[in-house]
Amino acid sequence: MIRRLMVANRGEIASRVFRTCRALGIETVAVHSDADADLPYVREADLAVRLPGNTPAETYLDVALLLDAARRTGADAIHPGYGFLSENAGFAAAVEDAGLTWVGPTPASIEAMGSKVEAKRIMREAGVPVLEAPAQPTESDLPLIVKASAGGGGRGMRIVRSLDALDREVAAARAEAESAFGDGTVFVEPYVEHGRHVEVQVVGSSVYGDRDCSLQRRHQKVVEEAPAPGLDDAVRTAMHDAARAAAEAIDYRGAGTVEFLLDPATRRFWFLEMNTRLQVEHPVTEAVQGVDLVELQLRVAESDWFMGWGGEPDGHAIEVRLYAEDPAADHAPQSGVLTRFEIPAEDGVRIDAGYESGSEVSTFYDAMLAKVVAHAPTRTAAARRLAGVLSRATIHGVPTNRDQLVAILRDPRFLAGEVSTALLPEVQVPPLDPAWAPVAAALAIAEHDAALRTVQRGIPVGWRNVTSQPQLTLLDDQPVAWWGGRDGYRVDGATVVAASPTAVTLEVDGVRTTYAVVVGDGAVDVDWPGGHAAYARTPRFTDPADAVASGSLLAPMPGTVTAVHVAAGDEVAAGQPVLVLEAMKMQHTVAAPTAGTVTEIGVETGAQVAAGEVLAVVAETVEEEQ
């Protein structure tokens, strides 16, 4: 029997495992880096151990440090969560060699599936269909996809649509895989356009239904659901049988997932990989199957024998991953303080969050903030419930993909079950119409500033003896005009029904709308039924030292410079890579915006940079007129 369990992970998955442990009466131990010291999961554990440092290599990937934390706290079992060392056979073996219970499959099973190349060979011998990689690719084999053999989470993966780009993309994938996994081995296989990612949940060789995980960005899953929609009985049965054969081929124990790529046009499917761990998207299976997969993991770990049976799914469940990222900037990860992070807790909705209001999102780890899951009798009802909860969430301080998730859940193609890996980029987020939000922000600022007065507190806001011009509030460099005085506020085109530092009610054409406003230091957040907008309060005077030179390449997010491809004085073409920035385990190429000359390189390889920092300057080439 497990008495005290340590989770060798962080964030929401640590909280998730602790929740089941509390229900079972198992004591818990958290480990945390310096950056994670104030996150909720650390407080939720019975004991916590600091892992000095911030980077994964010096904290959550340090086997000796983790085993020492278990020894110091008296833990007798370790759960790896997902990511980090969860699929590291050496770590699993080290845990068992230390006399501790490993909550996961055997090291041999992990090793067998750890290399995608070796996994394909085993699956082929077990009769599971696999995609065959061309030995010498030709134009007729395009498009291709480059994958990291030890990869996961979309890292070390590149789509190739031109043979001329193959070598370059292989090199980029190899570098990203080496950085993320310590193994730069990659392979190439055909890329199925508009394919679907369908996966089957197993515990041992028992099947617990299937999921669809086709909606992805950067080859990372964003929306998952169970059961997979639109599968006919023959395909579903064949997939379940193939997953069972895969598990039996490696004598699998515990929870795992067999992933398949499905071609909807031909109904053919192929083995992609087997994840020898708990999946991020496991909550949708728990919702429709009525099981606790973490509890099943613990039961398997406590006993060498386990037999279970998955039943028919009850209703439908959809999960979305809420990321700190900017979809408009190619999903660039974002960091900073979540000044407000509130998602409504409603019936049929589950929230697995790793952050709370006041938490800081660092640049060292994955950008996922939370998973939000809705369960309902039908798929349409689940999508509507989930979209409603997300639209009512209050998220301030860090840009997120919330609006994109709502747009996906309300898209007619998604609701019709037309899911594929190509759908998400095609979904357009409706343009935000802030309408009267800037006015609400300006009036709330006026009320906020008035409340801070120490003199002349009895004078109405905006009072003037002779009103000849409106008051102007600069938001994002744009002026917002309003009048104030003894009779209250006045704005053109609307009636100000009420105004306070936290809420403003406006009436336009007989319709009243209340705007919730949070006035912060230099920023204002406005929430209303139509969406959310954040504004910067523009100072009246700008320090010339804050200006940047024309042609400056600014860091799109905080991160580490991993490569510099040019030097001062070099001529560059538009779109030519200048340097590579790594943030949140992803590599981002910073390219020249125009053809020109590199006049300045402000960083070197290994440098830590902040968002908005000048990385380089490219002076545009201007051709002289004849």
Side-chain angles (χ1 to χ4, degrees):
M1 297 289 290
I2 295 173
R3 180 182 60 85
R4 180 175 295 169
L5 180 139
M6 185 184 92
V7 176
N9 217 298
R10 61 180 296 277
E12 63 85 19
I13 184 55
S15 294
R16 164 69 190 92
V17 176
F18 293 160
R19 186 164 64 243
T20 292
C21 286
R22 284 194 296 272
L24 298 177
I26 298 174
E27 297 175 351
T28 56
V29 178
V31 292
H32 66 86
S33 67
D34 292 335
D36 288 342
D38 296 325
L39 290 187
Y41 82 96
V42 179
R43 298 193 305 272
E44 293 167 0
D46 296 310
L47 301 170
V49 177
R50 171 180 175 249
L51 306 177
N54 285 315
T55 67
E58 61 190 0
T59 54
Y60 302 105
L61 294 178
D62 190 320
V63 173
L65 209 58
L66 294 170
L67 292 179
D68 181 63
R71 178 190 60 79
R72 289 160 56 193
T73 57
D76 57 357
I78 291 181
H79 190 298
Y82 50 69
F84 294 130
L85 294 170
S86 62
E87 294 179 283
N88 186 299
F91 180 50
V95 170
E96 293 183 345
D97 290 344
L100 306 176
T101 298
W102 168 253
V103 183
T106 64
S109 294
I110 297 174
E111 186 172 9
M113 294 291 103
S115 164
K116 291 184 173 65
V117 175
E118 176 64 11
K120 282 193 171 191
R121 182 193 65 78
I122 295 174
M123 293 301 101
R124 191 182 299 110
E125 293 179 356
V128 179
V130 298
L131 273 174
E132 299 294 343
Q136 295 293 330
T138 65
E139 291 289 343
S140 62
D141 295 316
L142 296 174
L144 301 169
I145 186 166
V146 184
K147 292 183 177 180
S149 180
R155 290 175 289 277
M157 192 177 292
R158 296 286 193 281
I159 297 175
V160 180
R161 301 186 183 278
S162 166
L163 290 181
D164 294 338
L166 181 58
D167 290 343
R168 182 174 68 251
E169 297 294 0
V170 166
R174 184 175 289 123
E176 192 167 85
E178 180 67 37
S179 173
F181 314 111
D183 183 349
T185 305
V186 299
F187 63 97
V188 179
E189 67 183 20
Y191 178 67
V192 179
E193 298 276 14
H194 304 289
R196 288 179 58 182
H197 279 225
V198 180
E199 58 188 33
V200 178
Q201 175 71 55
V202 298
V203 179
S205 58
S206 301
V207 170
Y208 282 81
D210 47 70
R211 302 183 285 257
D212 187 286
C213 308
S214 300
L215 272 73
Q216 305 173 9
R217 59 95 176 99
R218 290 182 177 271
H219 310 295
Q220 289 185 303
K221 300 165 186 173
V222 176
V223 181
E224 301 104 345
E225 54 184 312
L231 293 187
D232 61 42
D233 292 341
V235 172
R236 196 182 304 273
T237 299
M239 277 191 175
H240 290 192
D241 290 343
R244 191 175 294 107
E248 291 173 347
I250 58 172
D251 192 24
Y252 194 76
R253 79 175 191 192
T257 298
V258 185
E259 293 197 18
F260 297 101
L261 179 62
L262 170 68
D263 183 349
T266 64
R267 300 195 307 166
R268 295 181 60 194
F269 65 88
W270 302 271
F271 171 83
L272 279 178
E273 63 180 344
M274 183 172 185
N275 294 299
T276 53
R277 54 169 169 80
L278 195 67
Q279 287 283 82
V280 178
E281 56 271 22
H282 75 274
V284 292
T285 293
E286 293 184 324
V288 299
Q289 290 286 333
V291 298
D292 182 331
L293 289 173
V294 173
E295 181 180 355
L296 295 186
Q297 285 185 298
L298 296 172
R299 288 175 58 187
V300 172
E302 290 181 330
S303 172
D304 290 333
W305 183 89
F306 172 82
M307 178 61 72
W309 294 270
E312 289 297 315
D314 175 20
H316 201 92
I318 303 176
E319 170 185 292
V320 294
R321 303 189 191 186
L322 185 63
Y323 284 101
E325 64 181 24
D326 185 357
D330 194 25
H331 299 278
Q334 305 291 305
S335 61
V337 176
L338 281 165
T339 54
R340 184 164 295 189
F341 189 58
E342 300 170 0
I343 303 173
E346 301 180 1
D347 290 342
V349 175
R350 168 175 166 177
I351 303 166
D352 286 10
Y355 297 85
E356 62 187 0
S357 295
S359 294
E360 181 171 359
V361 183
S362 76
T363 62
F364 298 103
Y365 316 109
D366 188 81
M368 188 174 74
L369 302 176
K371 303 179 306 192
V372 187
V373 186
H375 182 213
T378 66
R379 184 173 183 269
T380 301
R384 182 167 57 186
R385 176 175 290 171
L386 187 52
V389 166
L390 289 171
S391 66
R392 292 190 294 275
T394 304
I395 308 171
H396 298 168
V398 178
T400 72
N401 64 333
R402 185 266 302 271
D403 292 343
Q404 185 183 54
L405 295 175
V406 173
I408 292 168
L409 295 167
R410 291 173 174 170
D411 188 273
R413 291 164 294 182
F414 176 81
L415 294 174
E418 300 172 10
V419 293
S420 77
T421 53
L423 178 59
L424 189 143
E426 297 175 357
V427 174
Q428 298 297 316
V429 179
L432 178 67
D433 180 12
W436 296 93
V439 172
L443 299 184
I445 290 172
E447 287 289 305
H448 174 270
D449 292 349
L452 298 178
R453 290 178 184 168
T454 57
V455 295
Q456 298 180 336
R457 301 193 65 165
I459 298 178
V461 176
W463 168 264
R464 287 179 177 178
N465 286 329
V466 179
T467 306
S468 61
Q469 298 293 327
Q471 299 279 1
L472 295 179
T473 301
L474 289 176
L475 299 175
D476 290 344
D477 295 326
Q478 299 298 315
V480 180
W482 53 275
W483 285 264
R486 67 163 59 92
D487 296 326
Y489 294 102
R490 180 168 59 86
V491 296
D492 289 336
T495 300
V496 181
V497 178
S500 75
T502 58
V504 174
T505 300
L506 302 176
E507 183 174 303
V508 180
D509 294 333
V511 178
R512 292 188 179 186
T513 302
T514 297
Y515 298 81
V517 186
V518 177
V519 180
D521 295 334
V524 187
D525 286 276
V526 184
D527 291 278
W528 72 101
H532 163 261
Y535 302 102
R537 297 178 63 178
T538 307
R540 289 179 178 269
F541 303 101
T542 303
D543 188 342
D546 292 336
V548 297
S550 175
S552 296
L553 277 64
L554 307 181
M557 77 285 289
T560 304
V561 177
T562 59
V564 178
H565 297 304
V566 299
D570 287 355
E571 298 289 330
V572 294
Q576 180 177 334
V578 173
L579 51 83
V580 177
L581 188 66
E582 184 172 294
M584 296 180 177
K585 302 192 289 184
M586 298 293 290
Q587 292 194 345
H588 309 267
T589 299
V590 179
T594 61
T597 303
V598 179
T599 60
E600 180 183 339
I601 291 290
V603 294
E604 59 185 15
T605 301
Q608 295 282 336
V609 298
E613 185 173 334
V614 177
L615 305 174
V617 179
V618 177
E620 183 178 0
T621 299
V622 180
E623 295 189 12
E624 298 181 3
E625 292 186 12
Q626 293 293 330

